Amino acid sequence: MAKQQRISAGSRTFDFFNYFLLALLALITILPFIHVVGSSFATSAEVANTKFLLFPTEFSLKAYEYIFSTDTIFRALGVSVIITVGGTLWSMFFSTLTAYGLSRRDLVGRRAINFMIVFTLLFNGGMIPTFLVVQQTGLLNTLWALVIPVTINAFNMIILRSFFMNLPAGLEESAKIDGANDFSILFRIVIPISLPAIATISLFYAVTYWNTYMHAILYLADADKWPVQVLLRQIVVLASGMNYDAEAYSDVPPPEVTVKMATIVVATVPVLLVYPFLQKYFAKGALLGSVKG
């Protein structure tokens, strides 16, 4: 059996400082989140009297009781889930079709189409023209207004296109010899071997849809259709004692500062619960899309 190679003192020293630095960066990254979670379970007095609270001495659920005191929050969460799941599937369908088409070097007008898509990364119509388009197409005050105007994100599509361009050309040629058409090649060959990239772009879209706020403010007049981000903003405004419509929460006194922390937790936890299942695909897909593209 071959002798194991000895690790030099310099390598051990480098590994020690490397691990120490990474652990320090990880700690710096996670401390603010611990502060938010800890403050959400503390009393308002303790948060006000402590500069940087990590673990509350007096455990309190008043902030969460206030947020979940009516069924409104559950309705808003349901709307956000519908928008996130449906919008992600919708965007991925069209982004995948577009990216695959533009990855084909024999596509007529490919350069012109690519230019028009990249152009939107630098310039766009702006808020008022986009609002007028949504209004004239009859999407105003519907959930489609949060999905259709942002169906394809140019940056996400470019990453996906770059990934498709680096797939072995022999796969398509073999499939064509067997009589497969373009749609068969895409859905039976390209997509199954592109799951890392697809999972990465899906996560990008899902986070965008989950965090939908400005479009909901602009396009939705009916409060029953508000996603959770808009409702949480209203709760924070209410807890801050500003002018508001307090009908839904009039029976529950707001605990002010801790409500703000609790709203961050409520808005963030769903994404954190999904991320571990996509982490391995996310890391691999992002790397392939950036290095090879």
Side-chain angles (χ1 to χ4, degrees):
M1 191 171 74
K3 292 184 178 179
Q4 290 185 348
Q5 203 172 21
R6 278 191 172 184
I7 301 176
S8 65
S11 296
R12 288 196 298 269
T13 303
F14 173 78
D15 289 342
F16 171 79
F17 282 105
N18 194 23
Y19 287 128
F20 175 78
L21 180 61
L22 290 175
L24 183 61
L25 291 175
L27 184 63
I28 293 173
T29 302
I30 200 172
L31 276 179
F33 186 72
I34 296 176
H35 166 66
V36 170
V37 174
S39 299
S40 69
F41 288 105
T43 61
S44 296
E46 186 176 5
V47 173
N49 295 326
T50 307
K51 290 184 178 180
F52 192 75
L53 178 65
L54 293 178
F55 303 101
T57 56
E58 186 178 347
F59 191 80
S60 173
L61 291 174
K62 288 184 178 180
Y64 292 97
E65 289 174 359
Y66 174 68
I67 291 176
F68 293 102
S69 59
T70 71
D71 294 335
T72 307
I73 185 70
F74 297 103
R75 183 175 64 244
L77 284 169
V79 171
S80 286
V81 169
I82 292 172
I83 293 172
T84 301
V85 175
T88 300
L89 293 174
W90 173 271
S91 292
M92 284 306 302
F93 177 76
F94 287 101
S95 295
T96 303
L97 290 179
T98 306
Y100 178 68
L102 292 176
S103 69
R104 304 291 298 273
R105 290 178 171 81
D106 57 344
L107 177 68
V108 178
R110 176 172 169 265
R111 290 181 178 274
I113 298 173
N114 276 323
F115 173 79
M116 287 187 288
I117 291 175
V118 173
F119 186 82
T120 63
L121 291 172
L122 306 175
F123 305 97
N124 58 67
M127 183 184 298
I128 295 177
T130 304
F131 178 85
L132 294 176
V133 170
V134 171
Q135 184 182 48
Q136 294 300 317
T137 52
L139 298 177
L140 210 59
N141 204 31
T142 67
L143 295 184
W144 283 110
L146 307 182
V147 176
I148 292 180
V150 291
T151 295
I152 296 180
N153 180 282
F155 177 76
N156 293 342
M157 194 282 300
I158 290 171
I159 293 178
L160 202 56
R161 183 205 63 185
S162 299
F163 186 90
F164 288 157
M165 289 178 66
N166 287 281
L167 294 177
L171 291 174
E172 294 187 16
E173 294 172 0
S174 300
K176 285 184 176 179
I177 292 174
D178 292 335
N181 57 30
D182 289 331
F183 284 100
S184 297
I185 294 173
L186 174 61
F187 290 105
R188 294 185 179 182
I189 298 176
V190 174
I191 290 179
I193 65 176
S194 304
L195 288 181
I198 290 174
T200 301
I201 303 304
S202 296
L203 185 61
F204 288 162
Y205 275 123
V207 171
T208 300
Y209 281 117
W210 180 261
N211 290 329
T212 295
Y213 172 76
M214 183 57 69
H215 287 174
I217 291 291
L218 291 174
Y219 306 142
L220 300 181
D222 188 354
D224 291 339
K225 297 176 182 177
W226 281 352
V228 69
Q229 305 296 343
V230 178
L231 181 63
L232 292 177
R233 183 259 181 188
Q234 295 299 102
I235 295 174
V236 170
V237 170
L238 174 59
S240 301
M242 298 170 66
N243 246 347
Y244 55 83
D245 180 8
E247 289 181 6
Y249 293 90
S250 57
D251 297 331
V252 185
E256 299 183 3
V257 180
T258 55
V259 168
K260 298 179 182 179
M261 301 300 183
T263 55
I264 297 174
V265 174
V266 171
T268 306
V269 164
V271 177
L272 294 180
L273 293 177
V274 173
Y275 180 75
F277 298 100
L278 299 175
Q279 182 178 7
K280 62 178 181 179
Y281 297 112
F282 178 81
K284 186 178 179 182
L287 181 63
L288 290 173
S290 59
V291 175
K292 287 189 176 181

